[in-house]
Amino acid sequence: NLMSNANKFTRKGALTLITTGSVAQVEGAIVTAPALEVHAGHVSLMEANLVPAIAGSVSFGEFRFRAADSLIAGVAGSTLGLTTSGGLIDIKSGGVMMIDRPLDAHGGMVQLTGHGVASGKYGSVNGNGVAIYSTNGIGTAAAPLWMNTSYLRAENNQANVANPINIRNTGELTLGAVVQSGTGNSGSIAVENTGGMHVPAASPANEIGGRVHGSGDIKLITHSPLTIMGEVSTTGGNIALEAGDGGLLTVGTGAVVT
C-alpha cells in the first residue's frame, strides 16, 4: 500500500505509482505533478491535488481522484485510459475536465464532476451507469460527450449562460434526471442514442422517474424505439423527439411533454 501523509507530495516530472495494494492520502496531503499515472488495487486521492493529467487502472477496488484545477482524464505517462474491474470511477475537477481517452468501469458506475465536462477526439465514458454534474456545460454540438451506458443522470448548473448538454450513447439507455438548472440558464439538451431510449415514469422503486428539463431546446434522438413515460419539458425552447430507423415513438399515458 502507498499512502501520502506529508503536507505536499511534489514532483517536477510525471509521477508513476504502482502497487498491488491501495493508493491513498490523508487530509491535507496534496499531490503536485504535471501528470499522474497510477496502477493499483484501489485508488483514493480526493484532496485538492495539483495534477492536470490522470490515467491508470485498479484491479479490485475504486478509482477516485480529485484535481483542484482543470484536468485531462485518460492520458498520463505511457498509459492511455482509466479503468476499473467493475469498481466505481469517481473523478472531480475544479476546472474543465477533458475526457481524452476511454474511462471504463467495466460494468461499474462512473461519476464525473467538473466546471465543464468535455470530450477529446478519443474520449468516451463507459459503465453500467453514468452520473455527471457540471457548472459549465457537458459536451458540445461539435464535440458531444461519447459514452456507452445503460443509465444516465446529468445536470449542468450555471446562471445566465447557454452552454449545452450534448451526449451520444450506444446501447439501450434509460434517462434519469437530465437537467439544465440555474437562474437564466438557457442551455440546450441533446441526447442521441444508437439503441432504444426510455424516459421512465416515477414509481415506488423509482420515486423521481425520468425527467429531461430545461429552458432551452430539447432533442432526444434514437435509432430504435423511443419511449416517454416520464417528463420532457422546457420553459422556453423547442422539443424534438425522433425515433429513427423505423423505431417506434411512444408517449405513454401520464407522460408530460411540454
Side-chain angles (χ1 to χ4, degrees):
N1 293 344
L2 298 175
M3 177 173 287
S4 171
N5 56 15
N7 289 334
K8 294 182 179 180
F9 193 103
T10 302
R11 182 171 175 81
K12 293 182 179 180
L15 175 63
T16 300
L17 302 177
I18 300 175
T19 177
T20 57
S22 297
V23 174
Q25 62 191 151
V26 300
E27 183 177 356
I30 305 300
V31 177
T32 300
L36 176 60
E37 179 184 14
V38 187
H39 298 282
H42 172 86
V43 174
S44 182
L45 299 170
M46 296 300 286
E47 294 299 304
N49 296 298
L50 299 174
V51 174
I54 181 76
S57 63
V58 299
S59 59
F60 61 80
E62 301 177 344
F63 199 122
R64 304 178 71 235
F65 181 79
R66 176 186 170 204
D69 300 312
S70 294
L71 179 69
I72 296 173
V75 178
S78 61
T79 299
L80 300 178
L82 192 155
T83 65
T84 70
S85 298
L88 172 71
I89 294 176
D90 181 8
I91 308 295
K92 294 178 168 61
S93 68
V96 174
M97 184 189 305
M98 174 67 72
I99 311 301
D100 209 33
R101 286 298 191 280
L103 309 186
D104 196 340
H106 287 98
M109 300 292 293
V110 180
Q111 297 177 177
L112 305 176
T113 303
H115 184 60
V117 178
S119 183
K121 183 177 181 180
Y122 302 106
S124 64
V125 181
N126 310 306
N128 187 53
V130 175
I132 304 172
Y133 180 82
S134 174
T135 54
N136 194 30
I138 301 170
T140 65
L145 183 60
W146 290 89
M147 58 183 61
N148 188 328
T149 187
S150 60
Y151 180 83
L152 171 65
R153 185 174 73 248
E155 180 177 0
N156 181 49
N157 185 327
Q158 56 186 158
N160 303 314
V161 292
N163 291 318
I165 295 173
N166 200 305
I167 291 169
R168 299 277 182 89
N169 187 69
T170 299
E172 296 293 314
L173 177 63
T174 296
L175 298 183
V178 179
V179 177
Q180 290 275 15
S181 61
T183 303
N185 180 355
S186 58
S188 62
I189 298 173
V191 180
E192 182 172 349
N193 192 53
T194 301
M197 183 157 52
H198 183 217
V199 182
S203 68
N206 184 12
E207 295 181 0
I208 298 175
R211 182 174 189 249
V212 183
H213 176 75
S215 296
D217 292 345
I218 295 176
K219 182 181 292 184
L220 302 181
I221 300 173
T222 69
H223 299 274
S224 286
L226 172 57
T227 304
I228 310 298
M229 304 299 288
E231 177 184 341
V232 180
S233 62
T234 176
T235 59
N238 302 309
I239 295 176
L241 306 175
E242 179 181 334
D245 297 336
L248 179 65
L249 173 59
T250 302
V251 179
T253 302
V256 175
V257 179
T258 181

